[in-house]
Amino acid sequence: MQFPESWLRSFCNPALNTQELAELLTMSGLEVEELRPVAPPFHGIVVAEILTAEQHPNADKLRVCTVNAGGTETLQIVCGAPNARAGIRVPLATIGAELPPGEDGKPFKIGKGKLRGVESFGMLCSARELKLSEDHGGLLELAADAPIGQNIREHLKLDDTLFTLKLTPNLAHCLSVYGIAREVSALTGSPLLKPEFAPVAVKHDAQLPVSIEAADLCGRFSGRIVRGVNTQVQTPAWMVERLERCGQRSVSPLVDISNYVMFEFGRPSHIFDLDKIHDGLVVRWAKQGETLKLLNGSTIELDETVGVIADSKEVESLAGIMGGDATAVSDDTKNVYVEAAFWWPKAVAGRSRKFNFSTDAGHRFERGVDPAQTVEHIERITQLILEVCGGEAGPMDDQTTQLPARKPVTLRVARAAKIIGMPLTQAQCATVFQRLGLEFTEGEGTLTVTPPSWRFDILIEEDLIEEVIRVLGYPNLPDTPPLAPVVGKVRSESRASVHALRHALAGRDYFETVNFSFVESRWEQELAGNANPIQLLNPIAAPLAVMRTSLIGSLVQVLRYNLTRKAPRVRVFEIGRVFLRDASIIESDSTIAGVRQPMRVAALAWGAADQSQWSQRDRAVDFFDVKGDLEALFAPRQLQFVAAEHPALHPGRSARVLLDGREIGVVGELHPKWRQGYELPSAPVLFELDLDAVLALTLPKGQGVQRQQSVLRDIAVIVGEQVTHDALIGTINAAHDGLIRSAKLFDVFKPAQANAEMQAGERSMAVRLELLDEETTLTDERIEQAVARVLAALGEKLGARLRG
């Protein structure tokens, strides 16, 4: 929100300088993002009138002008501007004047000069030379009644400051100069100039038929016809000046008037060319397949989620956002229909971004615009139209269907004092509400406020508490040290901290990344297999339209970002939340009905397995490298990996991760079709796990040093190629009677071709068994019996036979 300080002070003029006013606004929640002077420093420039403009005798593009600058004598100025002519009033830099600094940062001083043999006693200036705009088409032409000799800074009010506020979404009532002035008045106690909206004289009885078919779209619709307007007049200079200082360029008188009232009172409106409307207007939801050509020249396709204003033939306006090109006012317009409405914020929110653009009107309506003053603001617009463009106004048409209900909110003074952290009286709270213009009733230690029509942000008690301290002033909060003792909270030893997990992953050479929880719908469909993700009603960007159910898409995008910047090796991880549909979740302070939000940890590895070094050759990271990282993270807990299919992963190089028999995530290489689809030079390896399972710890149990010596036995069995490592070790562990302490695979052998010992499709797997009895020394007989039981179990369950 940008506006000039002078416009604000025309409504409320507190006894504060510019810096103090900016500090006050910032400390009350209206952050002043920037203070900028309207014009850079310069001096010695006055209003002058060109009396004569003769052709230069020695130059085709120069003119010799006689100029009246308010002195006793006229001045001779040589000027090359194409619009230099007799009768206009322009800025004149007199001898000794200083123009704004140039590219070198030094001011440009004006002295007596000679151009092509003709003396010049000053310089006539363009807006660009004064750094007022980039227009360099000629001299800056001033009003015909500009006082000759007056300082140009005074005449153009250049000693003004532009305020730029960074407003939070709840401050919709501050999206106008008057709204901010109302806040300044409440904060400082300075009087507020309240506008009067006197009804204009009604000169005819013509009305345009309007029908509201969607009460959930439009709560109130007001309008009137104005006939006989002249749209070819110039917008008044004072209006153009204020619009430009709000960051809005002048377009045409009618458009400028509509924009002016929007910045003045926060009321977006629309002016139709009455003669281009067929029969009447209908306010309704759009129909699938309808199209609309907007004022910005683009044509959009509509659906049932978008509100429109239509006539009997076609859609004419996008409700609360932008008008249509078909009924736009032009230089030929003679009769207009002025409209101001209350559009429900939920009916407007997100619609602009749906069509990849945004407007000032949509920005205001989706936050909430006062529904109580549509008629008053049309009176203001009509008054300006009659003053600038002339014409005759018709009667007001005002229809109301359904307006927001303002539910009373009760403030408990004791609770407010507790939350704010300083003593507070009921009288202080009452004074704050009076200054803010809030109606209230008092009880024993309570004040019940009925929010006014312009306050959409007062819904709960905390909103009122914020208003109290905001007006009383945050700087008035006492510097009170905490009274409660600071006691460290001891974390359970059965759960690791997220910070410790970050350290562990960083120790495995992964870098942390943080990504948005809203992602592209393509990622969900392709990488998570989710055809029905949770849609965002108001996405910050069109592609980021759904909530993620997996972290994999975010990590793949991070990889692509790094590859475009020529990163040779990428290892990243993220700890974040995902959003799953779950009908069992009920609404609470920490949950949303129907949505489960678990935390997950995911990582991605791409490129070389290790940093380049002289002792080994580079090799690409593979499934087993990342599997090893997982086992290291969970040690001493044992993980199991079971072959599985996942929408994002290679079907032959991915697995489900099991912990104590429970699935906690997946690990694997990115699917080849997604490697191609996302334009990756090679496939990364990823894992995604449930965070709670990763953080859970098994408490260590103490045991004595073994008193007996363990015994090692190696066995080599011939099995089919389909027998996996997990199946082999699992069968061994299930077969022994407590003597086998561990079993580790140390060799796999497959002959180049079938022989008498091993047939095609078979291989040899060698396992080292460690046997131990804590109580007695093992005998050869017991060892052989234990090994025999293992071999028998392997033969029975896996079809294994001992290799000779």
Side-chain angles (χ1 to χ4, degrees), residues 155-173:
H155 176 68
L156 295 179
K157 300 177 183 177
L158 299 181
D159 293 320
D160 200 355
T161 303
L162 298 182
F163 278 63
T164 301
L165 302 190
K166 186 177 182 181
L167 299 175
T168 51
N170 63 308
L171 297 175
H173 58 287

Side-chain angles (χ1 to χ4, degrees), residues 103-124:
E103 294 181 359
D104 58 358
K106 297 179 180 179
F108 182 72
K109 294 185 178 182
I110 302 298
K112 178 181 175 181
K114 183 178 289 188
L115 282 79
R116 294 290 184 95
V118 178
E119 290 185 328
S120 180
F121 298 88
M123 173 180 170
L124 300 179

Side-chain angles (χ1 to χ4, degrees), residues 134 213 299 378 668:
E134 291 301 315
E213 296 182 354
T299 300
I378 286 184

Side-chain angles (χ1 to χ4, degrees), residues 50-67 75-87 115 118-119 124:
I50 300 178
L51 302 177
T52 63
E54 306 291 341
Q55 182 66 43
H56 193 290
N58 302 320
D60 294 337
K61 294 184 178 181
L62 296 179
R63 289 179 177 83
V64 180
C65 301
T66 303
V67 175
L75 301 175
Q76 179 175 284
I77 308 291
V78 178
C79 177
N83 63 335
R85 64 187 186 276
L115 282 79
V118 178
E119 290 185 328
L124 300 179

Side-chain angles (χ1 to χ4, degrees), residues 22-35:
E23 178 67 15
L24 175 72
L25 290 172
T26 298
M27 293 306 297
S28 65
L30 284 70
E31 180 186 352
V32 178
E33 190 173 28
E34 182 184 21
L35 287 177

Side-chain angles (χ1 to χ4, degrees), residues 369-630:
V369 175
D370 184 4
Q373 289 195 306
T374 56
V375 171
E376 289 82 353
H377 292 159
I378 286 184
E379 294 288 1
R380 171 63 169 158
I381 294 170
T382 307
Q383 172 199 346
L384 291 172
I385 290 175
L386 298 182
E387 289 180 4
V388 177
C389 303
E392 297 179 342
M396 185 74 67
D397 176 28
D398 182 31
Q399 301 182 48
T400 301
T401 58
Q402 180 182 352
L403 297 180
R406 291 289 188 254
K407 296 181 179 180
V409 182
T410 299
L411 170 75
R412 294 166 288 175
V413 177
R415 174 169 170 76
K418 182 178 180 180
I419 290 179
I420 292 173
M422 71 178 189
L424 200 64
T425 66
Q426 188 164 331
Q428 284 178 299
C429 296
T431 301
V432 168
F433 295 154
Q434 287 173 351
R435 288 163 62 175
L436 287 169
L438 306 180
E439 295 183 2
F440 63 92
T441 58
E442 296 193 53
E444 186 65 33
T446 64
L447 294 95
T448 300
V449 174
T450 300
S453 57
W454 66 83
R455 293 300 296 266
F456 287 77
D457 59 320
I458 299 179
L459 301 173
I460 58 177
E461 184 179 16
E462 283 72 13
D463 296 328
L464 293 177
I465 295 173
E466 180 186 5
E467 294 301 300
V468 170
I469 185 56
R470 195 167 64 84
V471 174
L472 292 180
Y474 290 110
N476 294 323
L477 287 171
D479 296 330
T480 306
L483 300 178
V486 179
V487 179
K489 185 177 179 181
V490 179
R491 182 181 296 276
S492 171
E493 293 184 7
S494 63
R495 184 178 174 85
S497 70
V498 177
H499 197 58
L501 175 61
R502 290 189 174 98
H503 272 281
L505 285 165
R508 304 298 300 180
D509 215 12
Y510 290 88
F511 290 84
E512 184 173 15
T513 180
V514 179
N515 300 289
F516 285 131
S517 294
F518 21 87
V519 298
E520 295 186 30
S521 57
R522 174 193 176 190
W523 302 356
E524 282 297 301
Q525 294 171 2
E526 297 177 348
L527 303 178
N530 181 14
N532 186 29
I534 298 171
Q535 299 284 334
L536 287 171
L537 294 178
N538 192 16
I540 63 170
L544 307 179
V546 302
M547 303 302 291
R548 64 184 179 184
T549 60
S550 170
L551 306 182
I552 291 178
S554 300
L555 293 182
V556 170
Q557 181 63 21
V558 170
L559 172 61
R560 296 181 64 196
Y561 181 88
N562 280 271
L563 291 180
T564 58
R565 286 151 182 80
K566 308 300 181 184
R569 182 173 182 267
V570 179
R571 293 172 77 90
V572 291
F573 77 92
E574 180 178 6
I575 298 173
R577 199 174 296 279
V578 297
F579 303 83
L580 311 172
R581 295 186 184 275
D582 188 342
S584 65
I585 304 297
I586 61 175
E587 188 80 20
S588 72
D589 291 341
S590 59
T591 59
I592 297 174
V595 180
R596 185 161 55 88
Q597 306 176 48
M599 293 289 290
R600 291 191 181 165
V601 55
L604 175 148
W606 177 88
D610 294 299
Q611 298 285 359
S612 298
Q613 57 171 303
W614 63 270
S615 64
Q616 63 183 23
R617 292 184 178 181
D618 288 346
R619 65 174 181 83
V621 67
D622 59 22
F623 173 90
F624 297 102
D625 292 312
V626 177
K627 177 174 177 285
D629 291 335
L630 283 179

Side-chain angles (χ1 to χ4, degrees), residues 202 205-212 220-225 281 337-341 374-375 378-379 394-400:
V202 175
D205 60 357
Q207 285 188 286
L208 180 70
V210 177
S211 172
I212 303 177
R220 186 177 184 183
F221 193 95
S222 306
R224 73 155 22 123
I225 291 173
L281 295 178
Y337 180 74
V338 183
E339 165 266 313
T374 56
V375 171
I378 286 184
E379 294 288 1
M396 185 74 67
D397 176 28
D398 182 31
Q399 301 182 48
T400 301

